[in-house]
Amino acid sequence: MKSRLIICHHCSERNCVRRHGKARSGLQRYFCSNCKRTFQINYIYQGHEGKILRQVESMYDEGKTRAEICRNLGVNPVVVDRYLYLISMESDAY
Ligand SMILES: [Zn+2]
């Protein structure tokens, strides 16, 4: 099975990273055997969902409210909440 090469967020090592279960948020966690640290990758950042997430993120940055984001994107508040949560998780990781 061929999998995408994951780069460690901490040391940028490519070949020492393996899957390390899932976080409660549903994000895939990874463990780097080079620097012995774990990190998460948001797998929804690809494709269609990733596009929506970026839209949510930019609207949120513009100061739009959750309700406005829901209306603009035609998604329900639960979805927006999930994206906002993922965005906050991602910014914590850096
Ligand atoms: Zn590492």
Side-chain angles (χ1 to χ4, degrees):
M1 197 172 80
K2 208 171 176 201
S3 62
R4 224 154 37 85
L5 217 51
I6 306 294
I7 299 166
C8 176
H9 285 198
H10 302 293
C11 67
S12 299
E13 183 56 60
R14 283 162 185 274
N15 299 311
C16 302
V17 177
R18 57 204 59 186
R19 279 165 187 267
H20 194 64
K22 271 191 184 159
R24 219 180 327 163
S25 59
L27 298 183
Q28 179 67 54
R29 298 179 75 217
Y30 292 89
F31 174 74
C32 172
S33 56
N34 184 49
C35 65
K36 309 270 188 273
R37 295 170 78 178
T38 61
F39 60 94
Q40 296 174 356
I41 286 184
N42 189 348
Y43 59 83
I44 72 160
Y45 268 68
Q46 289 110 37
H48 181 61
E49 279 214 297
K51 269 186 228 154
I52 295 175
L53 190 135
R54 289 299 167 206
Q55 284 175 292
V56 170
E57 190 175 29
S58 69
M59 280 191 254
Y60 188 66
D61 285 346
E62 287 165 16
K64 289 207 166 34
T65 65
R66 248 177 67 211
E68 287 172 321
I69 296 172
C70 296
R71 224 176 312 128
N72 280 331
L73 291 179
V75 295
N76 77 55
V78 179
V79 175
V80 173
D81 277 346
R82 193 173 125 239
Y83 284 133
L84 291 177
Y85 175 69
L86 292 173
I87 290 163
S88 72
M89 292 284 296
E90 199 198 32
S91 32
D92 284 350
Y94 290 101

